[in-house]
Amino acid sequence: AQSVTQLDSHVSVSEGTPVLLRCNYSSSYSPSLFWYVQHPNKGLQLLLKYTSAATLVKGINGFEAEFKKSETSFHLTKPSAHMSDAAEYFCVVTRANTGNQFYFGTGTSLTVIP
Amino acid sequence: NAGVTQTPKFQVLKTGQSMTLQCAQDMNHEYMSWYRQDPGMGLRLIHYSVGAGITDQGEVPNGYNVSRSTTEDFPLRLLSAAPSQTSVYFCASSKNRGETQYFGPGTRLLVL
């Protein structure tokens, strides 16, 4: 079985301060993990993915995430928030290489305060 | 490439009506899937397909049918719409199973 828990439903940060969005996963198999971003009334865009290569994954727009197997976590970070980062963020898990089903977290809404 | 396209963008149905949500991709992807997005629940998988002629159920399949006659198209059918099917529907595709999914822009469905 696989599942994802996003620990915060809403995060607020000031512009220019660091962003931390937390994700814990559960998987009976070696996982592939993804972070997607959804801007209001838009589709989903891939930020980054982990597929059993390097544990520190760099994505678009300055985001990165670290896969920690011992903690079953895949937290998303960014050193300095920008107004354009305000959006909904989803953590997703599937079985590496063969996953038919993708399991989404319930999402974290990020607000950036000017 | 247009990527993943979905039609219509918005639809209003009455309870009991049927309709088909269209999804197409031009990336020659084998894997396609349908999700529904409801407030506070993330995206939940309805049906998926690993190739033409092959479909299977996801987490919330009841009330929906799919078929995959071509690699490009993966329509989702609502046989008898219910208010509980009011949602935003996303289609996605990936080259193969377990790989990065690319999402369409979504269809917003309201069932009265």
Side-chain angles (χ1 to χ4, degrees):
Chain A
Q2 295 167 298
S3 66
V4 163
T5 301
Q6 292 185 242
L7 299 170
D8 306 291
S9 59
H10 187 84
V11 170
S12 283
V13 300
S14 296
E15 189 175 18
T17 64
V19 175
L20 170 64
L21 305 183
R22 299 183 294 164
C23 172
N24 286 351
Y25 72 92
S26 173
S27 179
S28 305
Y29 312 100
S30 293
S32 286
L33 291 154
F34 307 80
W35 275 99
Y36 281 86
V37 60
Q38 183 181 32
H39 290 278
N41 299 314
K42 299 289 187 181
L44 282 79
Q45 179 185 17
L46 178 71
L47 278 178
L48 49 81
K49 63 179 179 180
Y50 166 77
T51 55
S52 75
T55 56
L56 182 61
V57 181
K58 294 187 184 299
I60 62 171
N61 300 335
F63 284 94
E64 64 180 39
E66 186 172 7
F67 173 72
K68 292 187 176 180
K69 186 176 180 179
S70 61
E71 299 177 10
T72 61
S73 69
F74 190 58
H75 301 335
L76 182 70
T77 61
K78 183 174 181 178
S80 177
H82 191 271
M83 293 299 295
S84 61
D85 295 328
E88 189 87 14
Y89 291 79
F90 293 97
C91 183
V92 184
V93 66
T94 190
R95 181 175 180 176
N97 300 318
T98 60
N100 282 333
Q101 302 207 29
F102 291 73
Y103 297 91
F104 281 71
T106 52
T108 298
S109 177
L110 176 65
T111 298
V112 181
I113 304 166
Chain B
N1 283 353
V4 180
T5 58
Q6 292 183 238
T7 56
K9 290 185 178 180
F10 180 71
Q11 183 72 46
V12 179
L13 290 179
K14 294 181 179 178
T15 298
Q17 286 185 316
S18 63
M19 81 160 294
T20 299
L21 280 63
Q22 300 292 345
C23 173
Q25 53 90 9
D26 61 359
M27 298 175 282
N28 199 32
H29 284 173
E30 291 296 323
Y31 181 93
M32 296 185 73
S33 55
W34 276 102
Y35 295 87
R36 59 178 290 171
Q37 182 178 26
D38 302 295
M41 302 188 74
L43 277 73
R44 292 180 292 167
L45 182 64
I46 304 172
H47 286 285
Y48 65 93
S49 169
V50 298
I54 307 170
T55 64
D56 206 345
Q57 297 180 351
E59 185 182 357
V60 288
N62 292 341
Y64 308 95
N65 275 0
V66 293
S67 60
R68 183 101 178 266
S69 57
T70 67
T71 299
E72 295 77 19
D73 300 300
F74 190 44
L76 178 72
R77 297 182 188 85
L78 282 69
L79 305 175
S80 178
S84 61
Q85 294 179 304
T86 293
S87 188
V88 181
Y89 292 85
F90 288 99
C91 179
S93 74
S94 61
K95 186 169 177 56
N96 291 300
R97 295 181 299 169
E99 297 186 13
T100 300
Q101 292 191 86
Y102 297 89
F103 285 82
T107 293
R108 190 173 296 271
L109 178 66
L110 175 61
V111 183
L112 302 174

